[in-house]
Amino acid sequence: RLSDQIIEEKGLPNYDPLSYGGRDIHDLMLWPILIAGLGILLRGDVLLASKILPFIFGIGSFIIFYFLLKRFKIPNKIIFLSLLMLIISSPFLYLSGVSTPYSAATFFILLGLLLFFKENKTYFFFSGVSFLMVIFFSLPLLLVFLPILFFVTVINDRNKLKSFLFIFLFIVTT
């Protein structure tokens, strides 16, 4: 609905007439913007774009989850079972099949995790950018995830604690 308004008005709408009797829009809506952009590429078919986009983020999340498991040197048999359980899980099917910004937020969290556990400082920067992207899709999901990342960092590798604090400060100050 908001994606249609973005295309019709050729810009971001200021008012949402269908939301609880109407309300002004003050937050950045990256999800409808992505759907509108893909809808324009698909010759104005916003409904198809809203079905394709979560599927693309779902495939991306699946691939990144595979590389995360490989990164932690988990045996191939367990990786296969983990990916199978991921594919048949209800939350993953929901995120990959329903147009919701949480599919993009999950993708960027997994991407940020993968980049965070690399050994290169350039990856740490892109990890922060990836975590920053989550804010545009779901701030509460990021607020739940950051403490978990902190405890995993402290338990796993104290050398990465500085990197975590850098990313945390980067997100907070931005």
Side-chain angles (χ1 to χ4, degrees):
R1 174 177 49 83
L2 291 175
S3 302
D4 283 329
Q5 283 182 328
I6 291 171
I7 292 174
E8 289 171 5
E9 296 177 13
K10 294 185 173 57
L12 295 175
N14 298 347
Y15 186 74
D16 183 9
L18 298 177
S19 182
Y20 301 109
R23 68 178 175 102
D24 290 331
I25 299 175
H26 300 289
D27 53 345
L28 182 62
M29 314 168 297
L30 199 52
W31 185 250
I33 293 170
L34 286 176
I35 292 174
L38 185 60
I40 290 171
L41 291 175
L42 296 172
R43 300 174 196 244
D45 195 352
V46 176
L47 183 61
L48 180 62
S50 70
K51 292 179 181 180
I52 289 175
L53 202 56
F55 183 71
I56 291 170
F57 280 118
I59 289 173
S61 297
F62 178 82
I63 293 169
I64 291 171
F65 187 66
Y66 168 77
F67 284 119
L68 264 172
L69 294 175
K70 279 293 213 188
R71 171 71 179 94
F72 291 114
K73 297 177 176 69
I74 295 176
N76 287 337
K77 193 179 276 189
I78 295 176
I79 289 176
F80 174 75
L81 289 174
S82 299
L83 292 174
L84 181 64
M85 287 174 40
L86 176 69
I87 285 180
I88 63 174
S89 70
S90 296
F92 183 76
L93 291 173
Y94 178 78
L95 287 176
S96 300
V98 175
S99 182
T100 174
Y102 294 114
S103 60
T106 304
F107 171 80
F108 284 113
I109 283 176
L110 288 173
L111 180 62
L113 266 177
L114 181 65
L115 296 173
F116 182 77
F117 288 112
K118 297 280 185 177
E119 299 299 326
N120 191 335
K121 291 194 185 237
T122 307
Y123 289 124
F124 291 137
F125 172 75
F126 287 114
S127 174
V129 170
S130 183
F131 288 133
L132 187 64
M133 289 298 294
V134 176
I135 293 173
F136 299 112
F137 296 103
S138 173
L139 180 60
L141 190 60
L142 183 66
L143 293 177
V144 166
F145 175 73
L146 280 177
I148 295 170
L149 179 63
F150 174 74
F151 287 116
V152 167
T153 303
V154 169
I155 291 170
N156 190 23
D157 188 3
R158 291 198 184 268
N159 293 333
K160 295 222 187 243
L161 189 58
K162 291 179 187 174
S163 302
F164 171 79
L165 293 175
F166 170 76
I167 290 172
F168 180 74
L169 290 174
F170 179 69
I171 291 171
V172 169
T173 58
T174 308

